[in-house]
Amino acid sequence: MVTGFSRSNGYDLETSVDQIIGESLDCDVFINNAWHDPGQVELLRAWTRAHKDLPHLIINIGTIGADPFLEYSNKFIEDYINQKKLLNLLSWEVNVNSYNCKSVMILPGIVDTDYFIGNIPLEMKDNYNKLKERDSVIQPIDVTNTVRFVLDTFSHNSFVSHISIINNI
């Protein structure tokens, strides 16, 4: 069964987390890609509580920028990164506890999306433009292909818990 939950079909992370969890109990795989401070983290927490005894998989889309040693001066980016750092930690926690459900993190670098372009901080614009000139910005299809890889290779007995997609600098 494939079910999509997005703002475009009436789901909002500010108000719909319980509804999303209730409607996703039959889903063997859940892809947690919608960032809304702190919606993505809350969705992982709620999903884990509801699915911990089920042999289900959640794939979370984080960012390689959530490296604990990086610091950011832009408030928007700092809030975004802090939520992604928490998502990383919670994903590890799902896997180290003896839950039946599992969590995988995909950590892309800069992905060429309208959302990123619309919110890019001034201090990152030069780097983004240089990557764009070299055709080194990750495309959404690269993230999709990584999700496919996870689905094709996943086993509850052994699996990759974190995968990074690096911009070719």
Side-chain angles (χ1 to χ4, degrees):
M1 168 168 73
V2 175
T3 304
F5 303 100
S6 71
R7 285 183 215 103
S8 66
N9 63 2
Y11 298 89
D12 187 327
L13 284 180
E14 285 188 78
T15 58
S16 303
V17 169
D18 291 338
Q19 181 182 2
I20 291 168
I21 297 305
E23 292 179 23
S24 71
L25 287 174
D26 291 336
C27 297
D28 293 331
V29 177
F30 189 92
I31 300 172
N32 186 9
N33 184 34
W35 181 78
H36 180 280
D37 186 18
Q40 195 177 20
V41 169
E42 292 306 317
L43 198 53
L44 175 57
R45 283 182 174 141
W47 184 92
T48 302
R49 281 191 300 270
H51 293 254
K52 67 182 178 183
D53 296 324
L54 302 170
H56 292 174
L57 170 66
I58 186 167
I59 300 173
N60 301 286
I61 309 300
T63 178
I64 202 162
D67 182 307
F69 299 105
L70 295 176
E71 293 183 19
Y72 300 89
S73 59
N74 177 284
K75 178 74 171 124
F76 171 81
I77 292 295
E78 185 179 346
D79 290 346
Y80 174 84
I81 294 299
N82 285 337
Q83 286 299 308
K84 295 294 188 171
K85 286 178 183 178
L86 185 53
L87 191 68
N88 276 344
L89 292 172
L90 291 174
S91 181
W92 278 109
E93 187 176 305
V94 169
N95 293 326
V96 297
N97 285 314
S98 41
Y99 299 142
N100 203 11
C101 65
K102 300 298 178 204
S103 179
V104 171
M105 286 294 304
I106 295 177
L107 306 167
I110 296 172
V111 180
D112 198 13
T113 63
D114 292 340
Y115 185 81
F116 179 79
I117 294 166
N119 291 287
I120 189 171
L122 290 176
E123 67 259 27
M124 291 180 72
K125 219 169 205 86
D126 284 342
N127 287 340
Y128 171 77
N129 289 333
K130 288 176 187 172
L131 288 171
K132 192 80 169 159
E133 287 170 12
R134 286 192 232 119
D135 199 27
S136 295
V137 178
I138 296 165
Q139 298 302 309
I141 191 68
D142 299 321
V143 178
T144 301
N145 288 337
T146 306
V147 169
R148 284 186 182 139
F149 169 80
V150 169
L151 294 174
D152 288 345
T153 61
F154 182 79
S155 160
H156 270 274
N157 297 325
S158 66
F159 61 96
V160 175
S161 65
H162 283 62
I163 299 175
S164 297
I165 309 170
I166 310 292
N167 295 91
N168 187 14
I169 299 176

